[in-house]
Amino acid sequence: MKEKTLGHIYALFTILVWGSCFVLTKVMLTAYTPTQIIPLRMGLAYLTLWALRPKTMKLPWKDELMFILIGITGGSFYFFLQNTAAAHTSAANVSILVSMSPILTVILAQLFSRKGEKLGKLVYIGAVVAIAGVVLVVLNGTLSFHLSPLGDLLALAAALMWAVYSILVKKYTERYDNFLVTRRVFLWAFLTSLPLVLLTDGLPSLTPLFTQPNILISWLFLGVFGNAVCFAIWNIAFKRLGVVVTNNYLYASPFVTVVVGWLLLDEKISWMSILGAVLITLGVIFANKSTEQ
């Protein structure tokens, strides 16, 4: 019971940080393109985890190949697809479609997880309620939602990438030291992001990090807390709660973003967002209760 309680605390803390990351990413976007931010975040996360756990990790080649795939699905390509989607469709569409990753995780867990996490009917009801809440939060009183096939498909692909990452990484957190696993993921996320940035916007300049304090602070927060620390403890939550229960917390991320934007950027928050937050909370409770039975 204590392990599960800590798992819920880790997941909740991570969502609070990740919800804040969207706001700080806006700050970095004043100096970098969305794609250029990826290697900056991944590289800093890798170095941070080396400092926290200065220990080498030897892997058989089959596991190394899997870590390349994990680094792509949970790192470079996930963020690349999400950022590219934002260029072809509205931020609201991206937020809503990326938040589909928990329900995609449920489907993949049932299809490919050998242990087969036990799921009750309420997990699907909870998912529908939570997604409805996400829609209300993201629209935030604007009532504007427009289909954009390319951007929407890219956002959905990003959600699928995260679901695949969730299923794959859990196996290795049970086999190896979690900090070393997370560090290896960021190594491959960094390396596989380099071709993407070279083919698109070019390597990022480090000058803004040393000349603009707000850029430096945002980068440190995103790389150290948003990536290194939170990915590590999120993986611990995977181990203690399972990927389905842990990923259900992702539904709350858009509301955290709205609240942090209201606090730091003076962005508006509507009654629609508050109602959405209530639905998200109810949906997550239903889904997690059903999953843990």
Side-chain angles (χ1 to χ4, degrees), residues 203-268:
L203 291 175
S205 168
L206 299 181
T207 302
L209 300 177
F210 301 103
T211 58
Q212 301 180 48
N214 60 331
I215 300 294
L216 176 61
I217 292 170
S218 298
W219 175 60
L220 291 174
F221 183 90
L222 291 170
V224 175
F225 292 101
N227 280 39
V229 174
C230 283
F231 268 74
I233 65 174
W234 187 257
N235 289 342
I236 294 174
F238 276 158
K239 187 176 180 180
R240 296 186 176 187
L241 303 175
V243 295
V244 174
V245 171
T246 306
N247 271 352
N248 282 335
Y249 279 95
L250 291 172
Y251 291 124
S253 184
F255 182 69
V256 175
T257 303
V258 168
V259 172
V260 174
W262 173 61
L263 291 172
L264 299 183
L265 302 179
D266 200 29
E267 295 179 347
K268 72 168 187 174

Side-chain angles (χ1 to χ4, degrees), residues 73-88:
T73 55
S76 58
F77 274 59
Y78 167 73
F79 285 105
F80 178 73
L81 287 169
Q82 181 175 291
N83 294 343
T84 307
H88 292 88

Side-chain angles (χ1 to χ4, degrees), residues 2-17:
K2 182 180 178 181
E3 282 199 357
K4 285 197 171 185
T5 300
L6 284 174
H8 286 294
I9 292 172
Y10 290 154
L12 185 59
F13 174 79
T14 299
I15 287 305
L16 291 174
V17 173

Side-chain angles (χ1 to χ4, degrees), residues 65-126:
L65 289 176
M66 288 302 297
F67 270 93
I68 296 175
L69 181 59
I70 294 169
I72 289 172
T73 55
S76 58
F77 274 59
Y78 167 73
F79 285 105
F80 178 73
L81 287 169
Q82 181 175 291
N83 294 343
T84 307
H88 292 88
T89 188
S90 68
N93 288 32
V94 174
S95 297
I96 292 167
L97 291 169
V98 169
S99 71
M100 293 291 289
S101 58
I103 194 64
L104 293 176
T105 304
V106 169
I107 295 170
L108 292 181
Q110 294 301 291
L111 292 175
F112 300 108
S113 179
R114 292 179 181 178
K115 293 183 179 180
E117 294 183 26
K118 295 181 179 180
L119 303 177
K121 293 180 181 179
L122 282 178
V123 74
Y124 300 101
I125 297 174

Side-chain angles (χ1 to χ4, degrees), residues 111-214:
L111 292 175
F112 300 108
S113 179
R114 292 179 181 178
K115 293 183 179 180
E117 294 183 26
K118 295 181 179 180
L119 303 177
K121 293 180 181 179
L122 282 178
V123 74
Y124 300 101
I125 297 174
V128 171
V129 173
I131 290 171
V134 168
V135 172
L136 291 179
V137 168
V138 172
L139 295 181
N140 198 17
T142 63
L143 292 176
S144 60
F145 184 84
H146 305 285
L147 294 178
S148 176
L150 176 59
D152 294 343
L153 284 174
L154 289 172
L156 197 57
L160 181 60
M161 281 278 180
W162 184 263
V164 172
Y165 161 80
S166 302
I167 299 297
L168 293 178
V169 79
K170 183 174 183 288
K171 171 184 175 181
Y172 294 96
T173 57
E174 294 171 346
R175 184 182 300 178
Y176 301 110
D177 181 299
N178 178 62
F179 277 86
L180 299 183
V181 166
T182 309
R183 191 181 73 198
R184 196 58 143 247
V185 170
F186 284 127
L187 171 63
W188 287 114
F190 172 74
L191 292 176
T192 56
S193 72
L194 293 179
L196 294 174
V197 76
L198 286 171
L199 290 171
T200 53
D201 306 312
L203 291 175
S205 168
L206 299 181
T207 302
L209 300 177
F210 301 103
T211 58
Q212 301 180 48
N214 60 331

